[in-house]
Amino acid sequence: MKISVNKSRTLWWAVSGAILLAGIVSMVLSWQSEIGAPLRPSLDFIGGTRLQFERDCSLPNNCDEEIDINVVREVAASEELADSSIQLIADRETGKKNGVLIRTKELKVEKRTQLESALSEKIGTFDPAKKQIDTVGPTLGRQLFNTGITALIVAFSGIVIYLSIRFQLDYAVFAIVATFHDILMTAGIFSIFGLLFGLEVDSLFIVALLTITGFSVNDTVVIYDRIRETLKVNPDSPIVEIVDNAVNQTLARSINTTLTTLLSLIAIFLFGGETLKNFALALIIGFTAGAYSSIFIASTLLAWWRERQETSKPPGNSEQLTANS
């Protein structure tokens, strides 16, 4: 079965546009909310102390009622921590909200102990085995963020230079557009999850974005390479036909590569440790978006651009353009 990606390219662009718009709206709402950033940042980036307490449900009557978040806020305010970010955590077994997650400024041991005691008096006894406390300095958080952004900029610059040398500038531009599409889609979906489910991004999220960048470009280069080879053999064929054939010739490879990779990532997400779940989820979203953009975005944008060039230039220049591809 062959597909004609260019025949319905407006549909592919509309689907991507709708998802990207939802993500952008979510990032704006997130920025204007108490989060104060496009995505909900973890302690890796903002610094401070994260405390997670869960009640001990083995004790009689300790978990009869779910935790009231207003009570937690009152306790935090009494401890001069009113500006803290507070979330309730649902118990995996019962689904009841028996835990609390507090992200606040950096706290010393005495202050953490005092807060835990005050909360325990109001909402119940905590399970010591499930207590989690992490502290990161704000300087290290800013350094991690700046390093991550710098790495992304260097990666994008390297991709543009490499593809411009190997192919042509328009190939490089549309490969970057497709890659940026994947990065923005991943970030947008994480922003939505951050608003709805409190999902945070940490330093591993930057690593995931860099990995997505490489995967997406690799898939796009495979299709572009086939387009370039076909143009050399059949320079007089319509660019739309050449692009459709190139996509169909590489379609099985793209789908099989993505599916086999996703199987491993889904296994990590379901059975891996807590620290790897968000990393695996980001890769699942990014790799899926990368396969989609390589097939339906990067290829159709190149075909659309070459069509415009062929119709706007004299025949001699059009033939020269094809020869240089």
Side-chain angles (χ1 to χ4, degrees):
M1 182 185 70
K2 291 186 177 181
I3 62 173
S4 177
V5 292
N6 283 285
K7 186 177 180 180
S8 303
R9 63 190 179 195
T10 304
L11 173 62
W12 314 134
W13 297 347
V15 170
S16 288
I19 298 174
L20 292 176
L21 180 61
I24 291 172
V25 170
S26 174
M27 286 190 277
V28 171
L29 293 176
S30 178
W31 207 321
Q32 294 178 343
S33 69
E34 63 178 9
I35 298 173
L39 291 88
R40 186 183 292 273
S42 70
L43 293 183
D44 286 2
F45 297 128
I46 61 176
T49 300
R50 183 179 70 91
L51 306 100
Q52 180 172 317
F53 305 118
E54 293 187 43
R55 292 188 299 194
D56 187 352
C57 293
S58 64
L59 299 177
N61 305 321
N62 199 46
C63 299
D64 289 348
E65 296 181 2
E66 291 187 345
I67 296 175
D68 186 345
I69 193 170
N70 293 320
V71 174
V72 180
R73 289 193 176 117
E74 290 175 2
V75 173
S78 67
E79 297 293 329
E80 300 179 350
L81 301 172
D83 57 346
S84 302
S85 173
I86 300 172
Q87 294 174 247
L88 297 183
I89 302 173
D91 191 290
R92 292 183 179 180
E93 298 178 358
T94 63
K96 292 184 178 181
K97 294 178 179 178
N98 289 319
V100 59
L101 175 65
I102 301 174
R103 293 168 57 222
T104 186
K105 61 185 179 182
E106 189 171 353
L107 301 178
K108 294 183 178 180
V109 177
E110 297 80 5
K111 189 67 175 179
R112 297 200 302 257
T113 304
Q114 184 177 332
L115 176 61
E116 181 181 357
S117 299
L119 285 171
S120 182
E121 290 178 3
K122 293 290 185 178
I123 62 178
T125 304
F126 296 123
D127 186 346
K130 296 181 179 180
K131 181 171 67 174
Q132 297 181 27
I133 300 176
D134 302 304
T135 299
V136 176
T139 302
L140 178 59
R142 287 194 297 270
Q143 182 180 351
L144 285 171
F145 178 78
N146 293 335
T147 302
I149 296 300
T150 302
L152 283 173
I153 294 174
V154 170
F156 273 82
S157 302
I159 290 169
V160 170
I161 295 172
Y162 170 73
L163 292 182
S164 298
I165 295 173
R166 179 171 177 179
F167 297 98
Q168 279 184 282
L169 183 59
D170 54 356
Y171 284 88
V173 168
F174 293 126
I176 285 296
V177 169
T179 304
F180 185 72
H181 161 279
D182 305 335
I183 296 297
L184 186 57
M185 185 171 289
T186 304
I189 293 176
F190 259 69
S191 177
I192 294 172
F193 288 169
L195 284 176
L196 297 178
F197 311 115
L199 189 67
E200 298 178 346
V201 296
D202 54 17
S203 55
L204 283 178
F205 184 74
I206 300 295
V207 178
L209 294 184
L210 289 168
T211 308
I212 291 166
T213 299
F215 181 89
S216 176
V217 170
N218 178 68
D219 246 10
T220 302
V221 165
V222 170
I223 296 176
Y224 279 178
D225 211 29
R226 189 59 56 91
I227 292 173
R228 185 181 63 171
E229 291 174 358
T230 307
L231 276 171
K232 290 180 179 179
V233 177
N234 302 301
D236 298 325
S237 298
I239 186 63
V240 170
E241 181 181 324
I242 289 175
V243 170
D244 282 348
N245 288 336
V247 169
N248 280 284
Q249 290 169 14
T250 57
L251 186 61
R253 175 200 176 279
S254 297
I255 293 176
N256 290 336
T257 301
T258 303
L259 284 178
T260 52
T261 306
L262 288 179
L263 288 175
S264 301
L265 292 174
I266 291 172
I268 294 174
F269 178 76
L270 294 177
F271 308 110
E274 288 295 327
T275 56
L276 293 178
K277 284 188 180 295
N278 290 354
F279 175 69
L281 179 60
L283 291 181
I284 290 171
I285 296 170
F287 284 9
T288 303
Y292 178 87
S293 67
S294 297
I295 297 170
F296 298 107
I297 304 299
S299 60
T300 55
L301 283 174
L302 180 65
W304 167 79
W305 176 253
R306 288 299 178 94
E307 279 182 320
R308 285 174 57 89
Q309 285 188 311
E310 289 174 359
T311 56
S312 62
K313 290 182 178 292
N317 289 342
S318 178
E319 291 174 4
Q320 183 65 33
L321 172 68
T322 304
N324 291 336
S325 299

